[in-house]
Amino acid sequence: MLILATVILTVFQLITFSRVRSYLPAGLIIAGVPIGGLDRQAAAERLLEVYSVPVEIHYQNQVILLNPAVVDYSLELESMLAVANLERTQKGFWLDFWDYLWGRTTFPTQIPLSAIYSEARLKAFLEDIAVRYDQPAQAAMPVAGSTRFEAGQPGTSLDIDGSILLIEAALNSLTNRSVDLPL
């Protein structure tokens, strides 16, 4: 009777473990996003949701929102999820089942972000911003009928190359999705 109860309990635990093992391991983090305990599709949706938030760009007192799709920003989901799947199946089934029975958990694994974007489209976007918001400097002008000059006005010009690096960092960040453009 005791042997039968042990076999039934072991089979029940084996079925439960098989269901748990079909999901990504607990504590798994991809690109800074915790996705442990999710299936592959739910993990992909969560990553896409997080990294599709627009980047807030500040040009002096103007606020411009950059949708990542405008610069063809895309996550390399297949490669990141393949590494996550490898993490899930790294241990042998029976060894992993033994750890499950004893309540041993592994340390959380972090998989780095893998994403691409079009630098040419980002540069075109920034050039469009520069055309709209750059202010040319105005030279000092002589005042008619006197020997005085009216003071000139300084201008602003967008540093496009410096902006590309800052926006790239913001596109790849979870927390800092705001950029003050260098002028």
Side-chain angles (χ1 to χ4, degrees):
M1 187 66 152
L2 186 59
I3 293 174
L4 180 62
T6 303
V7 169
I8 291 173
L9 183 61
T10 303
V11 169
F12 176 74
Q13 289 295 328
L14 190 58
I15 292 170
T16 305
F17 171 71
S18 295
R19 288 183 183 153
V20 168
R21 194 165 195 257
S22 68
Y23 294 105
L24 295 169
L28 183 65
I29 298 172
I30 295 180
V33 180
I35 54 116
L38 299 176
D39 65 2
R40 188 178 176 97
Q41 180 66 29
E45 288 172 7
R46 182 175 289 173
L47 287 166
L48 287 172
E49 179 183 331
V50 167
Y51 282 98
S52 64
V53 173
V55 173
E56 189 175 285
I57 299 173
H58 300 267
Y59 186 105
Q60 290 184 327
N61 61 352
Q62 301 295 323
V63 177
I64 304 156
L65 293 179
L66 170 62
N67 187 337
V70 170
V71 294
D72 293 334
Y73 184 83
S74 63
L75 298 173
E76 294 180 336
L77 285 172
E78 288 306 314
S79 66
M80 291 188 296
L81 290 173
V83 172
N85 194 41
L86 181 63
E87 197 62 42
R88 180 180 66 83
T89 58
Q90 187 174 10
K91 268 195 206 174
F93 180 84
W94 294 109
L95 182 61
D96 209 13
F97 177 60
W98 185 253
D99 287 344
Y100 172 78
L101 287 176
W102 289 101
R104 295 185 208 145
T105 58
T106 57
F107 294 106
T109 303
Q110 300 229 4
I111 298 170
L113 173 67
S114 180
I116 57 172
Y117 74 98
S118 170
E119 190 171 329
R121 293 206 52 185
L122 178 56
K123 190 170 187 173
F125 179 80
L126 290 170
E127 287 169 350
D128 183 49
I129 288 174
V131 166
R132 283 195 242 158
Y133 296 107
D134 281 357
Q135 297 292 321
Q138 295 177 351
M141 300 291 294
V143 176
S146 75
T147 58
R148 294 184 319 117
F149 280 83
E150 189 175 295
Q153 296 293 324
T156 58
S157 177
L158 178 62
D159 176 10
I160 292 177
D161 293 331
S163 298
I164 288 174
L165 297 173
L166 294 173
I167 292 173
E168 179 183 359
L171 284 168
N172 292 328
S173 174
L174 285 176
T175 56
N176 188 12
R177 294 191 68 85
S178 177
V179 174
D180 291 325
L181 295 177
L183 305 177

